[in-house]
Amino acid sequence: ADARHAALIRWLILAATLIVAPQLLLADGGTLILHERSGALNVNVFATPSPLRAGLADFSLLIQDANTQDVLLDGDVELNLSKAGLENIQARATPGQATNRLLYAATVTIPEAGEWKLTARCRIRGQEMTLSGSIAVLPPEPPLFTYWPYFLVVPVFIGLFLLNQVLKTKRRSLKITSAR
């Protein structure tokens, strides 16, 4: 009974972690939002969260040699986000900011929803490439949807505590019954 009890608690903790953890992380990669091949370079731009929303956003770039498909990590990458009536947002993307070492990454704060223009300027191995495109940024999610994992933690731990107490009570009643 103790082994089953411990295994059940481990599975519940694992399930809670798998539900909550992805929401709390802003990870490299995300949804492909721009792609262009120019000369000897192939550039893919990804964004997280998906769909892209006002607030904190992660932009990641995969830059490859178009002929060999080798990943190129020795370049200089600048991102520019612009929207009419607002100040431009500029950021330098580097492999050092990425958790995936095959990507360049930059984290920016997008102040409001709407249609934005993203421009990525890549200078690498004597070549320069600029790609740009329009991206749709949705309004931020309501706080309840954003922070629901935090609200879930308390009921999960109360449930685990109650399960623990029920199992202890059953174990005690079994010991008393078997002692008679």
Side-chain angles (χ1 to χ4, degrees):
D2 283 339
R4 281 188 281 148
H5 178 242
L8 178 62
I9 288 180
R10 278 195 302 269
W11 278 108
L12 289 172
I13 291 172
L14 177 64
T17 303
L18 291 175
I19 289 170
V20 173
Q23 302 294 322
L24 303 177
L25 300 175
L26 202 56
D28 294 325
T31 303
L32 180 66
I33 58 171
L34 291 175
H35 167 79
E36 191 170 315
R37 180 179 176 161
S38 177
L41 295 179
N42 191 20
V43 179
N44 297 290
V45 182
F46 304 91
T48 304
S50 181
L52 195 57
R53 295 187 173 275
L56 203 58
D58 179 69
F59 291 93
S60 303
L61 292 89
L62 174 64
I63 303 174
Q64 296 174 290
D65 181 300
N67 299 320
T68 65
Q69 300 303 312
D70 290 339
V71 175
L72 306 175
L73 295 171
D74 55 347
D76 185 36
V77 177
E78 296 172 6
L79 298 177
N80 184 52
L81 284 130
S82 59
K83 182 179 180 198
L86 293 176
E87 190 173 317
N88 287 0
I89 301 169
Q90 296 182 343
R92 173 174 247 90
T94 64
Q97 294 178 70
T99 53
N100 181 337
R101 296 298 176 205
L102 298 176
L103 302 174
Y104 294 78
T107 302
V108 300
T109 300
I110 302 173
E112 70 177 46
E115 203 68 26
W116 286 77
K117 180 181 180 185
L118 172 66
T119 303
R121 181 169 290 115
C122 309
R123 288 182 288 279
I124 194 162
R125 297 185 181 173
Q127 301 176 58
E128 186 167 331
M129 177 181 175
T130 301
L131 73 145
S132 63
S134 181
I135 57 172
V137 177
L138 300 175
E141 284 189 325
L144 180 61
F145 292 117
T146 303
Y147 298 111
W148 73 265
Y150 297 109
F151 298 127
L152 184 66
V153 170
V154 173
V156 165
F157 281 109
I158 290 172
L160 289 173
F161 175 76
L162 292 174
L163 177 65
N164 183 13
Q165 295 306 307
V166 167
L167 292 173
K168 280 184 178 180
T169 304
K170 282 185 179 181
R171 191 176 327 128
R172 274 191 226 123
S173 66
L174 286 174
K175 285 182 182 179
I176 292 171
T177 306
S178 64
R180 291 182 184 174

